[in-house]
Structure formats: C-alpha cells, structure tokens
Amino acid sequence: VVFVENQINNNKVGSSNDNGEQTPDNRLVDGSARSKSRYITKKVNLENPATRLDVYLTMSNPSPSSIEVFARTLPDETDSSIFFSSRGYTKMTASTTANTAEGEYQEAKYTLTVDDKDKFSTFAIKIVFNSSIESVVPTIKSLRMLIFH
C-alpha cells in the first residue's frame, strides 16, 4: 500500500492575503503563509522585445480549487544574469476561467500587457495551485505561451 498526500493549500494572493507570490523569492515569507504547490518555468530569452504575453492552460479546476498565474519579466537592455532573479512577479489577468468537474479539462487564458517603455526580452512563468481540500486539486494537461512584439 502506498499512501499519497497532495501538498496544497489555499493561500491566494490578494489585498488581504499577499503570501509572497509576487516577491522575487517567497521563501522569505513565513512557510505557513505561502503556497505549497507551484510550478515555475525556466527563464526564456527572446530575440526581439515583447509587450504582451499570453499563457494558455488546459486545466482541470474543480471547486474549491483555483489556479493563479504570474510572470517575471526583465526589461530589454538589462543585464539578465544580474537582475532577473531579484525581480518580482506580476499577477497575470485571467481572460477566461475554467471551472470544471474533476478530470474534465478546459482551456483558460492569462494575459500580461506592458507599455512600450517596459518591453521585456526575458521572462518566466509561475503557476500557483490552490485548494482548501487536499483531495480536490487543480491539474494542468498543457501549457502554451504566445509572445507579441
């Protein structure tokens, strides 16, 4: 017999509960306050600077679970080896929501748009999984990212 426990909690980012997901390294946040379940992509370097990033997730998001998506960007012309890890994350805007029954998948879109003066040439994505019930968890089947110049 193998027992499995989902490592997930319900510490969402918000005005009353900023659990550190928007800071560069949320390990500095009290362990009981930060999200237990996260996925962070590798750093992506672009040939041409971008002003918009769309993230598409095919996900199962049964109630009461939720998914939040964040982006860490580095402005063009900045030394990425020095400054990238010290930059914070920005919460991306959900254009669509995917509230599904467990095991059913639906696509959801998250967007980050910046002004021309803030064009970025490097980015990483952080996906945070939340649920108040450890046996009901969100899952992702696919991740796509589109960058607009």
Side-chain angles (χ1 to χ4, degrees):
V1 175
V2 176
F3 293 101
V4 177
E5 176 186 9
N6 293 318
Q7 293 293 311
I8 194 164
N9 57 3
N10 200 30
N11 291 338
K12 291 184 182 179
V13 169
S15 57
S16 62
N17 185 11
D18 182 356
N19 62 352
E21 292 299 344
Q22 296 183 24
T23 62
D25 184 358
N26 77 344
R27 287 187 210 118
L28 302 175
V29 175
D30 176 27
S32 64
R34 68 177 186 240
S35 297
K36 290 182 180 179
S37 183
R38 296 181 302 282
Y39 173 76
I40 302 173
T41 66
K42 291 182 178 181
K43 179 172 67 170
V44 177
N45 294 310
L46 305 173
E47 280 188 29
N48 300 309
T51 57
R52 189 172 115 202
L53 171 63
D54 288 349
V55 173
Y56 294 89
L57 301 176
T58 304
M59 61 186 194
S60 177
N61 193 22
S63 182
S65 68
S66 66
I67 292 177
E68 295 175 299
V69 181
F70 300 85
R72 173 188 279 174
T73 61
L74 186 67
D76 192 36
E77 305 298 323
T78 307
D79 186 348
S80 65
S81 62
I82 297 172
F83 296 108
F84 188 72
S85 62
S86 65
R87 293 188 56 86
Y89 287 89
T90 302
K91 187 172 181 180
M92 298 181 73
T93 304
S95 303
T96 55
T97 57
N99 293 322
T100 62
E102 195 166 356
E104 292 180 9
Y105 288 85
Q106 183 179 349
E107 187 170 85
K109 177 182 172 186
Y110 297 83
T111 302
L112 175 71
T113 304
V114 298
D115 295 330
D116 279 345
K117 65 178 179 60
D118 296 322
K119 285 183 178 182
F120 56 92
S121 55
T122 303
F123 73 93
I125 301 298
K126 177 172 23 177
I127 304 169
V128 178
F129 303 89
N130 298 296
S131 182
S132 56
I133 303 173
E134 288 183 348
S135 62
V136 179
V137 297
T139 56
I140 294 176
K141 192 185 325 189
S142 69
L143 162 68
R144 291 183 296 127
M145 295 178 271
L146 297 177
I147 293 91
F148 299 89
H149 302 279

